[in-house]
Amino acid sequence: MTASTRIAPVVLCLALGGSLATAQTTPRPPEPLLGRFHTWLKGGSDDLNAEASRAWGTDHERYLALEMYHGSPTGLYLGGELGHSGAGKGTTDSGNPVRDLDFWWLELNEKIAFDAHHGLTFDVGLGLALFYVEGQEVTTQGGQEFTDPLADVGLGAQVLGDFNWRRRHLLLGLDARYQQAFDVININYSNLRLGAHLGLVF
């Protein structure tokens, strides 16, 4: 066996060993601040625009919403929200009572998270929304009550901000959202939502 044939296997082993070592020591990308996926349940107060308040006879209502987001190492998150605000009853601008009044919305949002250290983060973002309103209008004729279904649908856009405290897989925080929203007949449903949330990081 010549010297060159004895050296070749050694060079090959060294090359393979170096490649394996490089592969094993390549650092994994850092986990996003709010995890690769997070979800939370939030609730608070929904303050409707005066125009929508006159149309439905309600202004400050409690809401509940569920949010889910998927994150990237850059700190960008894409996700959505399903929310509900139930006033129960109101009064139309014509003076008729409304029963079983419900507001529903579905949002698609993008946000970016920033590290405030010690487990604290804040994020800001924007998005688009679809909303639906329904109720039963009550009228009286000849001493008898009649109910007529009411419904409205529209589109909106919102800016949002959240402040979070993370402890391992647990998230606690505060959130704020302002939404510009209009229905198909140009009633202004713009609103401000303030609340708190509790969630999990994965």
Side-chain angles (χ1 to χ4, degrees):
M1 181 180 293
T2 65
S4 60
T5 56
R6 289 197 300 270
I7 293 173
V10 176
V11 173
L12 181 61
C13 289
L14 289 174
L16 289 174
S19 300
L20 290 173
T22 302
Q24 291 174 354
T25 58
T26 301
R28 295 181 61 185
E31 180 181 306
L33 294 171
L34 296 175
R36 289 177 174 79
F37 177 81
H38 65 268
T39 181
W40 61 53
L41 182 67
K42 68 179 186 178
S45 175
D46 189 2
D47 185 5
L48 279 173
N49 179 277
E51 190 173 333
S53 298
R54 287 194 300 270
W56 293 92
T58 180
D59 49 7
H60 300 282
E61 302 302 334
R62 302 293 184 186
Y63 77 88
L64 284 175
L66 177 66
E67 285 193 85
M68 297 182 181
Y69 285 91
H70 181 268
S72 68
T74 62
L76 283 173
Y77 286 86
L78 181 66
E81 173 182 323
L82 174 64
H84 172 258
S85 176
K89 61 181 180 179
T91 305
T92 66
D93 47 10
S94 59
N96 293 328
V98 179
R99 297 174 182 167
D100 304 323
L101 184 56
D102 288 298
F103 293 77
W104 292 90
W105 60 87
L106 181 64
E107 296 178 359
L108 177 64
N109 298 314
E110 186 174 38
K111 63 182 184 178
I112 184 168
F114 300 93
D115 189 3
H117 304 296
H118 308 295
L120 300 175
T121 61
F122 68 93
D123 50 77
V124 293
L126 47 83
L128 300 174
L130 173 69
F131 69 88
Y132 175 72
V133 188
E134 65 175 351
Q136 298 287 330
E137 183 178 12
V138 181
T139 58
T140 303
Q141 296 178 4
Q144 287 186 312
E145 282 191 354
F146 297 90
T147 58
D148 294 313
L150 297 176
D152 204 357
V153 65
L155 299 172
Q158 61 275 345
V159 293
L160 60 97
D162 303 314
F163 184 74
N164 309 285
W165 177 70
R166 176 179 175 179
R167 178 65 176 173
R168 296 184 181 176
H169 295 287
L170 180 67
L171 273 177
L172 297 171
L174 303 173
D175 47 83
R177 185 156 314 192
Y178 179 72
Q179 185 178 73
Q180 283 277 355
F182 295 89
D183 72 349
V184 293
I185 56 175
N186 294 323
I187 294 178
N188 189 341
Y189 282 91
S190 299
N191 60 89
L192 174 66
R193 298 200 297 271
L194 301 174
H197 56 261
L198 172 64
L200 295 172
V201 173
F202 301 97

